[in-house]
Amino acid sequence: MSVSRAHSRPITALAWTSSGTTCPSYYTLIGTTEDGTAANFTRGFGLKSGYYLCYSKDLAGGMVVSDVQVISDKDTIPHGYCYIPEFMEPKASVWKKKRVCVRIVPVDSVTNAVLDIRVTAKSKMMLQQYTCLGDILGYVLWCMKGPFSTPTPKAKPRRISLDLRQLSLESSETQLPLRPSNQPQVPPKLSCRRKTLDKNELNETVYDSSNIYGITAMDGVPFALHPKYETQTNEKATVPMLDDIRIKSIHDIENEYHYTFAVEELAAKRSRPIFSQP
């Protein structure tokens, strides 16, 4: 038995089922053991019919089985584990003396999970690279754990047309590909001496209202100054009087802000009174 751990898909669910008819379509039924005998659990007291173990590797739910344990009815189920579901016929039942519980976690939260589950007859053979989980009704359950890989969804190929003529908003004329003999025309440079522009020409070039891209939020809003500033524009600007400003030198500034710290020196030299002890 050669199992590639690096490329194996993890088990996402375990369950009990009565037969192939009650087993869900996305589950795989374990019908025979590794030594070739039937894997039908039918040796328990009070069991009217047998049942099989089945597993699923459907990653649609985004969950994987990270661990499997076989416990008795006297043991407390471990924290984070749950009993496996049962897809049984109405009158069929599962033996309760020993139960199978699993730990299901999100696929992105772990790097190792249960990759495979096998069933053998009790004390018949040992499976290499598998962990023994325990025995139930004369059968031994084995599991293999290891790193797993999920299938990467492949992007559906799309045909991208290189013809961009349909995206043009201005004209539908056929445009040739850019070549050295068919380069776009460079707009002529304007002279810097031109100081005045025609007002109508400026409005047509900047605010072209022939399409929605030439319309701005300021269209139709008249330009006017606030009345508060209209009176100030009529008055003549007064030049501030600079005669009273005196430019001080560095020497003047040092003399003006010179401080001798005499008060602080006097306070530091003042001695504290000494009290004599009786």
Side-chain angles (χ1 to χ4, degrees), residues 53-197:
L53 187 67
C54 59
Y55 62 90
S56 173
K57 289 192 174 184
D58 185 11
L59 290 171
M63 308 295 286
V64 295
V65 176
S66 62
D67 191 25
V68 183
Q69 291 188 16
V70 177
I71 61 176
S72 63
D73 56 348
K74 297 181 180 180
D75 297 333
T76 304
I77 185 172
H79 178 71
Y81 288 72
C82 63
Y83 295 119
I84 63 177
E86 302 172 3
F87 302 100
M88 308 292 292
E89 295 177 355
K91 295 182 180 181
S93 61
V94 177
W95 194 48
K96 303 299 182 181
K97 291 295 182 179
K98 286 191 176 180
R99 307 284 297 273
V100 179
C101 57
V102 295
R103 184 172 182 263
I104 301 178
V105 296
V107 65
D108 298 332
S109 63
V110 292
T111 56
N112 293 345
V114 178
L115 304 179
D116 194 19
I117 191 81
R118 300 292 177 92
V119 179
T120 62
K122 189 176 181 180
S123 302
K124 289 292 183 179
M125 61 185 304
M126 301 293 293
L127 300 183
Q128 299 295 330
Q129 300 180 352
Y130 281 76
T131 302
C132 181
L133 302 176
D135 62 289
I136 299 178
L137 296 174
Y139 296 99
V140 182
L141 273 62
W142 305 79
C143 77
M144 172 185 283
K145 298 180 184 179
F148 61 91
S149 60
T150 56
T152 304
K154 297 182 180 180
K156 187 177 181 180
R158 300 177 58 186
R159 298 180 60 184
I160 302 176
S161 177
L162 298 179
D163 188 5
L164 301 179
R165 290 174 296 177
Q166 298 180 357
L167 300 179
S168 177
L169 298 177
E170 297 179 355
S171 63
S172 59
E173 298 179 358
T174 304
Q175 298 179 0
L176 298 177
L178 293 179
R179 295 179 181 176
S181 60
N182 187 29
Q183 295 182 351
Q185 298 180 358
V186 181
K189 296 182 180 180
L190 298 178
S191 176
C192 298
R193 298 180 180 180
R194 184 179 178 184
K195 297 183 180 179
T196 59
L197 295 175

